[in-house]
Amino acid sequence: MTEKKNRSMIQRRLIPTYVFLIIVSFISVFPFYWMISAATNTSFDVAQGRLLPGTYLATNFANLTAGRDLWGTMWNSFIYAFVQTILALLICSLAGFGFELYHDKKKDIVFTILLLAMMIPGVATMIPLFRMVSKMGLLNSVWGFILPAISTPFLIMMFRNNSRNFPVDVMEAARIDGLREIQIFFRMYMPMMKSTYAAAAVVTFMNAWNSYLWPKVIMTDTNAQTMPMLIANLASGYTTDYGVLMLGVLFCSVPTMVIFFILQKQFAEGLTGAVK
């Protein structure tokens, strides 16, 4: 009887916690629900604040694809984000690997300069970057999109900090076995830093997918536009069809949500510097 009373008392004490968590979860999920509901309603219903799903999903989809290459735009965004993610992970992990495991005073000075570069807003470098990309003939291309972002101080710092958990004894044993430094990186460092790579992949892919200003500057051809540019075009003009707009936002949001849910466990481990 005493154990039952203790359990009931503990459960009663946890009731406010459960209520709080339910409220916070509802607040977090509600915008996504409203986006899905709005995608199935007319523009008038969305403006009136209708929360229940409607029957205009097919109509909104027809209006969204009318005169717009939705699938081609999504493919552009995916290719841009995928290539940028792969190259950024390779380059930034190499830099973080080198800065931490082969560091000296000179490398620390270079790393400090990289950290100072994080303080410079991206808008301040937009014009020089555009001139460089334009002179190289990379406008309306995947390389023009990804080159300014394949090496970022944030990712380098992330890999360097997590590399502190990498066992140095493993490197020494690998060198005794005759492995070169680049072989140590690919055969031992990368497999043991899977969590960090997953976290960096989520951050990089989401940033690349949601990028708007830089593609808007260099993508002058409609065939090279990205999903954020398409969404911005839906919201421009004299009248806005909110049902179509919400459906476009839904299409734009699904890929990043899928990537996050697939890698959410590794993402959490990577942020804490887990090494396996």
Side-chain angles (χ1 to χ4, degrees):
M1 294 295 292
T2 305
E3 293 181 358
K4 291 182 178 179
K5 289 182 179 180
N6 292 334
R7 290 179 182 177
S8 60
M9 290 177 63
I10 293 174
Q11 291 176 354
R12 290 176 182 176
R13 291 177 182 177
L14 292 176
I15 289 177
T17 303
Y18 289 143
V19 172
F20 174 76
L21 293 176
I22 291 173
I23 294 174
V24 172
S25 300
F26 176 78
I27 294 174
S28 301
V29 174
F30 179 77
F32 181 66
Y33 166 78
W34 184 83
M35 178 177 62
I36 297 176
S37 177
T40 64
N41 287 300
T42 63
S43 181
F44 178 79
D45 291 335
V46 176
Q48 292 296 315
R50 178 184 171 90
L51 297 179
L52 297 177
T55 59
Y56 288 86
L57 179 61
T59 303
N60 290 336
F61 180 77
N63 293 333
L64 177 62
T65 55
R68 302 181 186 91
D69 187 6
L70 175 63
W71 306 118
T73 302
M74 290 194 68
W75 177 251
N76 290 340
S77 292
F78 177 78
I79 290 298
Y80 298 159
F82 179 78
V83 176
Q84 178 174 320
T85 300
I86 296 300
L87 292 180
L89 292 182
L90 177 61
I91 293 174
C92 293
S93 62
L94 271 170
F97 175 77
F99 275 122
E100 178 58 28
L101 299 177
Y102 304 97
H103 69 82
D104 53 31
K105 292 184 178 181
K106 294 181 180 179
K107 291 187 178 68
D108 290 339
I109 294 174
V110 175
F111 186 74
T112 303
I113 296 174
L114 285 176
L115 294 182
L116 292 176
M118 295 178 62
M119 308 301 173
I120 302 176
V123 179
T125 61
M126 195 70 65
I127 295 177
L129 286 175
F130 175 78
R131 291 176 61 87
M132 292 172 60
V133 171
S134 178
K135 289 183 178 180
M136 289 188 291
L138 298 178
L139 297 178
N140 299 311
S141 67
V142 61
W143 298 111
F145 179 92
I146 68 174
L147 281 179
I150 58 175
S151 178
T152 62
F154 173 77
L155 286 184
I156 295 175
M157 179 183 66
M158 180 178 177
F159 276 104
R160 185 190 182 187
N161 290 339
N162 290 350
S163 295
R164 293 172 181 172
N165 299 324
F166 184 78
V168 181
D169 295 339
V170 174
M171 293 182 58
E172 297 296 336
R175 289 169 181 162
I176 294 175
D177 290 339
L179 291 181
R180 292 179 296 178
E181 304 303 314
I182 193 66
Q183 292 175 322
I184 294 175
F185 175 80
F186 283 105
R187 294 185 182 182
M188 309 190 72
Y189 178 84
M190 293 182 70
M192 297 181 68
M193 301 292 290
K194 287 182 179 179
S195 299
T196 304
Y197 276 98
V202 171
V203 173
T204 306
F205 187 88
M206 292 180 66
N207 288 338
W209 183 274
N210 295 324
S211 179
Y212 171 73
L213 184 57
W214 177 243
K216 186 68 174 178
V217 172
I218 65 168
M219 302 298 181
T220 58
D221 187 357
T222 56
N223 294 326
Q225 70 176 353
T226 60
M227 283 301 295
M229 296 170 64
L230 177 64
I231 300 301
N233 293 334
L234 292 174
S236 62
Y238 295 102
T239 58
T240 301
D241 191 327
Y242 293 106
V244 175
L245 178 61
M246 288 297 102
L247 183 59
V249 173
L250 180 61
F251 273 102
C252 187
S253 303
V254 167
T256 54
M257 289 188 294
V258 171
I259 294 295
F260 179 78
F261 282 123
I262 292 175
L263 300 175
Q264 60 177 331
K265 181 179 179 180
Q266 292 82 358
F267 177 77
E269 292 176 353
L271 292 181
T272 57
V275 175
K276 293 185 178 180

